[in-house]
Amino acid sequence: MNLSVDRERLTQELEALSQISAEPAPAVTRVVFTEADLRAREFVKQLCREAGLILREDAAGNTFARWVGKDDSLPPAGTGSHIDAIPNAGRYDGTVGVLGGLEAIRALMRTGLRPRRSIELLIFTSEEPTRFGIGCLGSRLLAGLLEASSDENLKDRDGKSLGEVRTAAGYVGPLSAVRLPTGYYSAFIELHIEQGPLLEQRQVRVGVVTAIAAPASLKISVEGEGGHAGAVLLRDRRDAFLAAAEIALAVESFARSSGAEDTVGTVGVCEVFPGAVNSIPSRVRIEVDIRDIDQARRDSVLDKVLAAGKEIGSRRRVAVRTELVNADPPAQCDPAVVATLAAACETQGLSFDRMISRAYHDSLFIARIAPVAMVFIPCRGGISHRPDEYASPQAIADGTMVLAEALACLAE
Ligand code: HGY
Ligand code: MN
Ligand code: MN
């Protein structure tokens, strides 16, 4: 098969997409259902239309772009990722899998191939947890892992519910209709930047992902007593921030002492009220992210953090309330799809390593309803979720070629 990737076009499209952002370049901010996200969706849908793909969108905003094969009654081979981005992010997280997936389809079209199975590009809605506090919102709904009540229960910072926001963005209909049946895809492959340093350190061109780590997240609110920063003596204080700070340090300490370097813990959100330098914090809200490839180890850290919250709360005489947002199992990638990707790397003459994904991805949830695997490409210094995130045109082309080769195989 005379396969080739139009590297210039793909680079230009990634560049154009990166300019659709709520923040000026080089940062990318594209939070789900905001104006930037909706413009980005239109940009990608237009490219899919130009490629002759059949488009449809579900009630959650997941977008499907299908290349109809000879027998469209068969479960299609799927690929895709996300285009939403956390604040002050980079331009490659997610977008490489969407625009690379589109270019993989176009490259196969250019060979004159007519696949037996349709090949479908899926752009997941809200992979990032930014707006509604839970990651992979679209893929969780597709896998039937979120109740329809999420429409009312999930709210953004302004108190707007998922239902209000999605319908205002034009995504109407019941969330219950979003779920895909098991077997909807014959196989699903996601192309993504590694978001870690291993491929670059090992000078390996491609990563074939065999498992995806198990994420968990907590929302913790601490209620103490405010007061004047000068007048209230330390012995009389019930400082909400110091209690939250102890909890944050406990997250780090329990993750560090889990017995494995695969355990990580992060406190990425911290809101202090009233937020005045001369006022003792009366209320603090933190969000905690704990992950591991081993679910039992992750859960043990989770339990210790919850227990520490109780102990710190009573010792400091503050109220600590914890909400478990999610505690998902890890996903094992499908050995046959992994083997197809490994064979595609060999066909392309690209060095590759089998590896674990420490970041979570929509494939973590699609794995519940279809055989999945992922293709990783190196990103400079392993940097991600930062404006200086970078993947070279060569690396992006490598990943796209492997993806195209594997899709051609899976679609037969
Ligand atoms: O947080 C993650 O692992 C993903 O980048 N949303
Ligand atoms: Mn991300
Ligand atoms: Mn991502």
Side-chain angles (χ1 to χ4, degrees), residues 82-236:
H82 63 99
I83 59 170
D84 65 312
I86 67 171
N88 198 45
R91 58 178 61 184
Y92 301 97
D93 174 5
T95 56
V96 162
V98 172
L99 295 178
L102 174 59
E103 176 55 20
I105 290 172
R106 290 184 308 216
L108 290 171
M109 287 175 164
R110 290 194 294 265
T111 67
L113 172 80
R114 184 80 202 280
R116 187 163 75 94
R117 294 175 185 276
S118 298
I119 296 177
E120 187 165 79
L121 177 68
L122 173 43
I123 300 115
F124 296 97
T125 210
S126 194
E127 189 272 351
E128 298 293 3
T130 311
R131 184 155 194 180
F132 294 104
I134 185 167
C136 298
L137 184 55
S139 48
R140 288 175 193 270
L141 287 164
L142 289 167
L145 298 171
L146 271 184
E147 299 304 319
S149 56
S150 313
D151 235 2
E152 298 78 44
N153 301 339
L154 290 178
K155 293 196 184 344
D156 66 12
R157 289 264 161 85
D158 303 328
K160 283 202 189 124
S161 71
L162 169 62
E164 285 170 272
V165 172
R166 71 180 177 89
T167 41
Y171 297 102
V172 295
L175 275 194
S176 53
V178 169
R179 178 174 192 164
L180 295 176
T182 297
Y184 174 87
Y185 286 117
S186 60
F188 187 90
I189 299 178
E190 182 170 3
L191 167 61
H192 205 285
I193 56 172
E194 180 198 340
Q195 298 180 302
L198 299 180
L199 290 174
E200 185 183 58
Q201 285 169 356
R202 295 174 190 164
Q203 301 281 305
V204 170
R205 305 271 292 266
V206 176
V208 177
V209 175
T210 56
I212 304 170
S217 66
L218 291 168
K219 284 181 177 173
I220 301 180
S221 67
V222 182
E223 194 90 26
E225 187 175 38
H228 193 290
V232 181
L233 299 179
L234 288 184
R235 66 163 184 263
D236 300 328

Side-chain angles (χ1 to χ4, degrees), residues 190 192-199 202 204 206-215 260-264 291-295 297 329-333 338 352-361 363-364 373-377:
E190 182 170 3
H192 205 285
I193 56 172
E194 180 198 340
Q195 298 180 302
L198 299 180
L199 290 174
R202 295 174 190 164
V204 170
V206 176
V208 177
V209 175
T210 56
I212 304 170
E261 68 171 10
D262 291 324
T263 319
V264 287
R291 309 186 194 194
D292 195 320
I293 191 60
D294 177 293
Q295 186 173 352
R297 221 171 24 219
Q332 298 306 318
C333 293
V338 168
F352 70 95
D353 263 353
R354 287 174 170 77
M355 62 195 297
I356 289 167
S357 172
R358 297 180 189 284
Y360 62 71
H361 301 282
S363 295
L364 175 64
M374 293 186 72
V375 187
F376 271 0
I377 59 168

Side-chain angles (χ1 to χ4, degrees), residues 279-298:
S279 177
I280 302 165
S282 54
R283 220 175 40 244
V284 171
R285 207 177 68 78
I286 59 175
E287 291 184 26
V288 182
D289 178 307
I290 299 171
R291 309 186 194 194
D292 195 320
I293 191 60
D294 177 293
Q295 186 173 352
R297 221 171 24 219
R298 193 249 353 246

Side-chain angles (χ1 to χ4, degrees), residues 260-320:
E261 68 171 10
D262 291 324
T263 319
V264 287
T266 313
V267 176
V269 174
C270 178
E271 290 166 359
V272 180
F273 180 82
V277 66
N278 57 351
S279 177
I280 302 165
S282 54
R283 220 175 40 244
V284 171
R285 207 177 68 78
I286 59 175
E287 291 184 26
V288 182
D289 178 307
I290 299 171
R291 309 186 194 194
D292 195 320
I293 191 60
D294 177 293
Q295 186 173 352
R297 221 171 24 219
R298 193 249 353 246
D299 288 346
S300 148
V301 171
L302 208 49
D303 294 342
K304 287 176 184 166
V305 168
L306 293 170
K310 288 200 181 84
E311 187 279 324
I312 292 162
S314 74
R315 176 162 42 84
R316 285 181 171 271
R317 298 178 299 117
V318 295
V320 175

